[in-house]
């Protein structure tokens, strides 16, 4: 999400060289302006400016990646989500590069997960004993709508509902 001017400022303090690492498939820089010049300089990320996005554009028919540079690496292991949660983006991720996002498991993580579920069971949370990290609640009938800011979408009703559910769980 870093803007080009912010990156230029950061590179000014480098003594020898810089390395920029990121994911061009993530959120772009946020620009709160309708001015075309501001959008051009603040809304263009480093991956667009460097030509990498165009260079590796995915073919919509074959789902094959274009011609990535030699130092371009696709990361296929994640540490933040539970495996069941990671399966959701895997449904889409797989389409683009035939790779599955793997979830690393370790003793410490498994121990913390077990503690969390014991805590939920002690609170007498109905779904806690199924040990699933995902519980979908269909709010379609409530006619909530999403609003857009730049290329992002936000649904304030669902966000409020999530907060209320979290407080209910904690009580």
């Amino acid at each position: 999400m870093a803007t080009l001017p912010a990156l230029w400022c950061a590179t000014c303090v480098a003594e020898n060289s810089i390395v920029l690492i990121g994911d061009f498939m993530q959120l772009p820089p946020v620009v709160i302006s309708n001015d075309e010049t501001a959008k051009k300089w603040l809304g263009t990320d480093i991956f667009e400016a460097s030509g990498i996005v165009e260079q590796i554009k995915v073919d919509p028919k074959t789902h094959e990646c274009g011609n990535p540079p030699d130092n371009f690496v696709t990361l296929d292991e994640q540490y933040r989500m539970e495996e069941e949660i990671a399966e959701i983006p895997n449904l889409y991720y797989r389409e683009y590069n035939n790779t599955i996002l793997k979830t690393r498991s370790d003793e410490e993580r498994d121990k913390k997960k077990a503690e969390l579920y014991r805590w939920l069971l002690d609170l007498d949370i109905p779904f806690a004993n199924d040990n699933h990290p995902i519980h979908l609640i269909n709010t379609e009938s409530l006619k909530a709508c999403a609003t857009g800011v730049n290329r992002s979408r936000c649904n304030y009703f669902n966000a409020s509902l999530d907060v209320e559910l979290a407080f209910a769980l904690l009580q």
Side-chain angles (χ1 to χ4, degrees), residues 57-65 95-96:
K57 195 174 260 181
V58 175
D59 184 320
K61 292 178 184 173
T62 64
H63 297 292
E64 290 189 19
C65 192
E95 281 184 31
Y96 291 104

Side-chain angles (χ1 to χ4, degrees), residues 36-152:
E36 290 305 315
T37 303
K39 287 180 184 179
K40 176 183 175 187
W41 290 105
L42 299 176
T44 302
D45 67 35
I46 190 67
F47 304 108
E48 286 179 271
S50 67
I52 288 177
V53 171
E54 189 61 35
Q55 188 177 355
I56 62 161
K57 195 174 260 181
V58 175
D59 184 320
K61 292 178 184 173
T62 64
H63 297 292
E64 290 189 19
C65 192
N67 187 22
D70 292 338
N71 61 352
F72 188 83
V73 177
T74 299
L75 302 178
D76 64 356
E77 192 169 5
Q78 64 87 24
Y79 301 86
R80 293 169 52 181
M81 297 177 272
E82 291 297 327
E83 194 168 356
E84 285 183 60
I85 296 172
E87 278 304 310
I88 295 170
N90 271 340
L91 293 172
Y92 303 98
Y93 186 66
R94 211 176 273 138
E95 281 184 31
Y96 291 104
N97 63 7
N98 296 320
T99 305
I100 294 174
L101 189 60
K102 296 178 230 113
T103 303
R104 185 171 157 229
S105 182
D106 62 40
E107 281 185 43
E108 186 64 28
R109 181 186 182 119
D110 293 343
K111 180 180 170 186
K112 287 180 180 179
K113 183 177 175 182
E115 287 173 11
L116 170 67
Y117 282 110
R118 272 196 302 280
W119 179 74
L120 290 172
L121 281 170
D122 290 344
L123 294 176
D124 199 27
I125 305 297
F127 57 77
N129 57 5
D130 66 12
N131 283 348
H132 292 288
I134 302 172
H135 295 279
L136 300 176
I137 300 171
N138 187 347
T139 59
E140 183 180 14
S141 64
L142 301 174
K143 307 291 185 219
C145 63
T147 58
V149 176
N150 293 334
R151 291 181 262 176
S152 297

